[in-house]
Amino acid sequence: MPDTTEGFAAPVPPAPAPVAVSVSEPAPELAQTLDPAGRLELPVAGEWKRVSPRYVVVEIVGTVIFGLVLCAGATALWLLAEVSWAPIVLALIVVVTLVVVLFEPRRVRSIGYQLRQDDLLFRRGIMFQRFVSVPYGRMQLIDVTRGPVARWLGLADLKFVTAAASSGVLVPGLAFDDAEALRDRLIELAESRRAGL
Amino acid sequence: MTTLADGEWHRLHPASPLLRGGLFIVAILGFIISNLRERLIDFFFHVPTYGDDPIDELFRRGAVGWALLGVVVILVVILVAFYLSWRMHTFRVSGEVVEVRSGLVFRSNRRARLDRIQGVNIVRPFIPRLFGAAKLEVSVAGQDANVHLAYLGSAAADALRRDILHLASGARAAAALPSDAAPDAAAEGEDWVEHAGTRAAGSALGPSLGSAIGTAAGGIAGGIGGFATDRAHEFFAPELDPDAAPPESVVRIPPGRLIGSVIFSGFTVFVLIAIAVLIWSVSAGGSGWLLIAIFPGLIGSLSFYVNRFTKSLRYSIAGTPDGVRVGFGLLSVSNETLPPGRIHAVRVSQPLIWRPFGWWQVRINTAGHSTNKGAAGEAHTTTLPVGTLADVARVLELILPGFDSDSGSENGREKLLVDHGVRSPGGDDGYTNAPRRAAWLRPFSWRRTGFTVAADTVLLRRGFVSRELTLVPLARLQSIAIEQGPIQRMLRLAKLRVHTVAGPVVATLPVIDVREGERLFERLSAGAISSARADTSHHWADPGHPLNRAMPDRPAQTLAPAAEAAL
């Protein structure tokens, strides 16, 4: 694998706030500790394929509905049970929901996948990053599912299932035709690299 | 090759329905006997009975004839049901599949592909074992996907397992497997298969009688006495057939150590805490409700100890030509054969309480799950309940070919790595360890948290208080993930997870330098692909694919060049 970092131009996150650092750590260590170079970044050559920008809508709808349900609960506490601290909770829920919605486009942009020679590489997350590599030969089945909002937007989710329950690679927000094409391509790749359990 | 594995349909042991429904019958008998207690006492000791019971009532009404007729009808119905259920329950073993058909009203048909077999398990519960019957279970991957053959003749079950594994191994060219036990087993198998017709009438009369008829057909000389002697021989025979495995590959657990491991367990700590609480509450003049709540549980814990002990007695692990054989049990006996390449992850661990004794435990992940409980009532995932480091080395050699025990050979490095993996406090010992700054997240274990790759296997070392080493063969690895949260990012660390099939072993490296982690991720994903490509363990003895490096009589296989290059 060539040692070139390209393709995914991840915006450098704001420098992390200084935290208490061990006194036993030497000074250069300290400088490095606060260096953004600590970011996880795989040196992969290929281009990261992105999910559809429309997927942001699906995420936002989900977040807003969840926020509304929580708000309803807090409001019920406030008005029916007359709990005095309920308005604070309500305000907190609204603020958190707004912040999550604001970051939603950024989170969706962080989802990416690559079809490499022998495996599928998947990434997601900004704060909590996660990279998964699944060899094609390990795929047991591929699921294509569509939720109501996603169907309205013409999107589908694609899920790769291996014998390990924890693999859990779910590529959301693919245009429906793309999802079907990707599924067929992956099945073809898996067939040609069939392996046992 | 016995007649049972010839691809034709065969029936199970004639007494199968009785043994399967045995508990029910015993319960009914117990109910009747307990109700007729006074009558029996009267009958044997001539102590007159007092009071009315249903039998007196029957006499008085003159309905004895009807009652007897009812009993006869019930008996006939049971016999016919048993006969039909036996008659409809057939199985066959061909070159590709094991197939079972059963059911009278609801027919069911289940097939397992031989190259997907994850293990073959033979269980002899106490009562069927008395009658010389055994249950064979072929595990394949998936929930509740196993094929059960309950019951077979004891020797026939052993022979059938040998045949299934032999067919599955792909070694059809070398069909003439030298085996001492096979002819006898074949003879017994043929015996009850061929005489199925003659025995059909007596099929539900109980196994001893059924077998007695069979024996009588062969020659009256033996009779029931011969049957009893056979059963006694079987019952007192060593759990592991001495011919089945080379003795140097057998690992046993001495009873003393077994008792120790059961006593020095987390459960004992729990019991001691419960006792302490009890004493404290009584001495502090508590109301006594705590006594009522805890004391029965304490008595129950005694049976837990006894149970664990008897179930783990006669534990043995041995290498056979068709995989690792794990057997155990004093009264109910069970043994499972895991073909090569069916073990997805291995963990060697040591609870703190065992450290003074130098005991270790080995657990594994497999794709197939036997429905029967393993030793000590745990699942079949505990390969070595308790053992010394030498035992661990031998077990690893059996379950992960390539981790040989003799340090002089080319595999000496692996042996050393395992030793360092379990005992070393950390440092420069062949492992790539977490950097010092990982102490923020793992204040005690960061020195020991590390990884290495050897013999197509990734070794993950972790834990300071309770030490553990996880080994995952790259050919079995399902996927790999690397993760990083905000705190880890500040410390330039990452977390690596190796995904395997579900089981007690979870292979993770909680902290590692982020650059090392990225390199390991790439290395493992490339290694997993090349190892999977070179892996032929679904037909482990296929001519032209020498595998099974564990067997002493087979040449040690060198690493696949592609895999080595990738690593």
Side-chain angles (χ1 to χ4, degrees), chain B residues 317-361:
Chain B
I317 306 146
T320 69
D322 286 315
V324 190
R325 181 191 180 284
V326 181
F328 53 84
L330 183 65
L331 299 178
S332 294
V333 181
S334 164
N335 68 76
E336 181 165 40
T337 304
L338 295 165
R342 264 65 176 175
I343 290 158
H344 289 244
V346 182
R347 187 177 69 199
V348 183
S349 62
Q350 182 182 52
L352 181 65
I353 202 165
W354 283 5
R355 196 180 276 205
F357 309 100
W359 292 339
W360 298 84
Q361 190 176 48

Side-chain angles (χ1 to χ4, degrees), chain B residues 160-235:
Chain B
L160 186 59
R161 167 164 68 186
R162 204 161 32 233
D163 292 344
I164 289 176
L165 289 171
H166 192 62
L167 287 170
S169 72
R172 263 164 262 168
L177 186 76
S179 165
D180 303 326
D184 310 334
E188 178 165 319
E190 278 164 21
D191 175 48
W192 62 258
V193 169
E194 281 172 9
H195 294 295
T198 41
R199 290 227 209 144
S203 63
L205 295 178
S208 59
L209 203 53
S211 298
I213 293 171
T215 325
I220 301 166
I224 294 174
F227 172 78
T229 340
D230 284 354
R231 294 289 82 82
H233 273 301
E234 242 170 50
F235 201 85

Side-chain angles (χ1 to χ4, degrees), chain B residues 273-283 290-292 294-295 298:
Chain B
I273 290 173
I275 290 175
V277 168
L278 203 63
I279 291 171
W280 170 79
S281 86
V282 168
S283 63
L290 213 55
L291 191 76
I292 296 163
I294 295 180
F295 198 67
L298 285 180

Side-chain angles (χ1 to χ4, degrees), chain A residues 65-109:
Chain A
I65 289 177
F66 185 67
L68 283 179
V69 168
L70 288 184
C71 283
T75 315
L77 271 186
W78 182 21
L79 297 180
L80 301 178
E82 293 178 352
V83 178
S84 60
W85 42 262
I88 304 165
V89 175
L90 187 64
L92 215 64
I93 292 168
V94 170
V95 170
V96 169
T97 308
L98 279 179
V99 169
V100 171
V101 166
L102 277 180
F103 275 94
E104 214 68 80
R106 183 66 195 79
R107 276 182 50 209
V108 168
R109 272 209 308 279

Side-chain angles (χ1 to χ4, degrees), chain A residues 22 33 37-38 40-41 138 167, chain B residues 440 475 479-480 484 490 515 518:
Chain A
S22 161
T33 302
L40 182 63
E41 194 53 62
R138 291 297 180 209
S167 291
Chain B
W440 282 105
S479 59
I480 318 146
Q484 190 186 48
M490 283 181 226
R515 300 289 157 247
E518 288 162 3

